[in-house]
Amino acid sequence: MGKASDTGGVVPMAIAGRLVRERERLLGMTDAERAFRKQWLKDQELSPNEPRVVPEIYKATHNPIRRFYRFPLNQYQNFLTPIVGAENAAVLRYLTAKAGMTIVLIYAGYYIFKYHSNEWDRKTGWKLFSTRPAVLPGDPGYPKLSDRTKPSDYASRGFNNVTLNL
């Protein structure tokens, strides 16, 4: 199955003809071409009531779940439109949504790393590893020995730091 076509499988064609390029117009135009060009330019002008918003098209192209989760930001955009204009309201809606998602992701990551670490008393969680600092000959503290002196220090997952409350 191929990708859906924007033109429904019909090869797109230029409705402006060869007169869309300035060089072609400067070569000379017939009276019929001038009339065609004049009508084509007039047809490009939008009427005062365009673009039209048809609520039935929105309902037909957006399922109920999508309409539900888009509702708050749609109301925000509708509130902003008379204040800042339609384009700026759409940009502010987009930026607000992205900022909200970024904040949620940051808080979720913080929560997971803080409360779901991989410790000895659970099977799941995030394992965090840190590398030892590189100590080269001539550096103070060379040779740097490991702070793990017993076999139980390796892979303890925090068990060695447990204090018993008896």
Side-chain angles (χ1 to χ4, degrees):
M1 225 41 208
K3 181 184 166 196
S5 171
D6 290 334
T7 60
V10 177
V11 178
M13 62 177 201
I15 60 171
R18 71 176 188 90
L19 303 176
V20 73
R21 292 179 295 278
E22 184 178 8
R23 178 171 287 220
E24 293 284 334
R25 292 193 303 271
L26 292 175
L27 288 175
M29 298 190 317
T30 64
D31 290 337
E33 288 174 334
R34 280 192 185 85
F36 172 80
R37 172 90 175 146
K38 182 179 178 183
Q39 184 62 42
W40 184 81
L41 288 173
K42 186 176 178 219
D43 292 342
Q44 302 309 306
E45 297 173 9
L46 295 178
S47 71
N49 63 350
E50 287 184 320
R52 295 186 55 94
V53 177
V54 181
E56 289 79 18
I57 292 177
Y58 179 76
K59 285 186 177 181
T61 57
H62 295 75
N63 67 42
I65 296 169
R66 187 173 181 195
R67 289 195 311 257
F68 175 75
Y69 74 75
R70 288 177 59 97
F71 180 77
L73 286 176
N74 284 347
Q75 294 302 318
Y76 175 65
Q77 183 177 359
N78 292 341
F79 170 74
L80 288 177
T81 299
I83 300 169
V84 296
E87 264 187 54
N88 290 337
V91 169
L92 287 172
R93 178 193 194 281
Y94 176 81
L95 293 176
T96 303
K98 297 307 175 199
M101 286 191 287
T102 302
I103 289 170
V104 166
L105 285 175
I106 289 171
Y107 279 138
Y110 175 76
Y111 177 83
I112 288 171
F113 277 108
K114 182 170 182 172
Y115 296 111
H116 294 285
S117 61
N118 186 297
E119 293 179 351
W120 69 275
D121 57 347
R122 69 180 73 187
K123 293 180 181 179
T124 61
W126 293 76
K127 293 181 183 180
L128 300 176
F129 299 100
S130 61
T131 59
R132 293 189 318 194
V135 180
L136 302 173
D139 290 346
Y142 177 81
K144 171 88 169 125
L145 300 176
S146 174
D147 54 348
R148 300 173 181 172
T149 57
K150 305 179 299 229
S152 63
D153 289 340
Y154 292 89
S156 69
R157 292 181 20 196
F159 184 75
N160 295 341
N161 302 332
V162 173
T163 56
L164 296 176
N165 297 329
L166 298 175

Coordinates of all heavy atoms in Angstrom, one line a residue, residues 2-15:
G2 N 0.7 2.1 -0.9 CA 1.5 3.3 -1.0 C 0.9 4.5 -0.1 O -0.2 4.4 0.5
K3 N 1.7 5.5 -0.1 CA 1.2 6.7 0.6 C 0.1 7.4 -0.1 O 0.0 7.4 -1.3 CB 2.4 7.7 0.7 CG 2.1 8.9 1.5 CD 3.3 9.9 1.5 CE 2.8 11.2 1.9 NZ 3.7 12.3 1.6
A4 N -0.9 7.9 0.7 CA -2.0 8.6 0.2 C -1.6 9.8 -0.6 O -0.7 10.5 -0.2 CB -3.0 8.9 1.3
S5 N -2.2 10.1 -1.7 CA -1.8 11.2 -2.5 C -2.7 12.4 -2.1 O -3.8 12.3 -1.8 CB -2.1 10.9 -4.0 OG -2.0 12.0 -4.8
D6 N -2.0 13.6 -2.2 CA -2.7 14.9 -1.9 C -3.7 15.2 -3.0 O -4.6 15.9 -2.8 CB -1.7 16.0 -1.8 CG -0.9 15.9 -0.5 OD1 -1.4 15.2 0.5 OD2 0.2 16.4 -0.4
T7 N -3.5 14.7 -4.2 CA -4.3 15.0 -5.4 C -5.2 13.9 -5.7 O -5.9 13.9 -6.8 CB -3.4 15.4 -6.6 OG1 -2.6 14.2 -6.9 CG2 -2.6 16.6 -6.3
G8 N -5.3 12.8 -4.9 CA -6.2 11.7 -5.2 C -5.8 10.9 -6.4 O -6.6 10.3 -7.1
G9 N -4.5 10.9 -6.7 CA -4.0 10.1 -7.9 C -4.0 10.9 -9.2 O -3.5 10.4 -10.2
V10 N -4.5 12.1 -9.2 CA -4.5 12.9 -10.4 C -3.3 13.7 -10.4 O -2.9 14.3 -9.4 CB -5.8 13.8 -10.4 CG1 -5.8 14.7 -11.7 CG2 -7.0 13.0 -10.4
V11 N -2.6 13.8 -11.5 CA -1.4 14.5 -11.7 C -1.7 16.0 -11.6 O -2.6 16.5 -12.3 CB -0.6 14.2 -13.0 CG1 0.6 15.1 -13.1 CG2 -0.3 12.7 -13.1
P12 N -1.1 16.8 -10.7 CA -1.4 18.2 -10.5 C -1.0 19.0 -11.8 O 0.0 18.6 -12.4 CB -0.7 18.6 -9.3 CG 0.4 17.6 -9.1 CD -0.1 16.4 -9.7
M13 N -1.7 20.0 -12.1 CA -1.3 20.8 -13.2 C -1.4 22.3 -12.8 O -2.1 22.7 -11.9 CB -2.3 20.6 -14.4 CG -3.7 21.0 -14.1 SD -4.7 20.8 -15.6 CE -6.0 21.8 -15.2
A14 N -0.6 23.1 -13.5 CA -0.6 24.5 -13.2 C -1.7 25.2 -13.8 O -1.9 25.2 -15.1 CB 0.7 25.1 -13.6
I15 N -2.6 25.8 -13.1 CA -3.8 26.5 -13.7 C -3.5 27.9 -14.2 O -4.2 28.5 -14.9 CB -5.0 26.6 -12.7 CG1 -4.6 27.4 -11.4 CG2 -5.5 25.2 -12.3 CD1 -5.8 27.7 -10.6

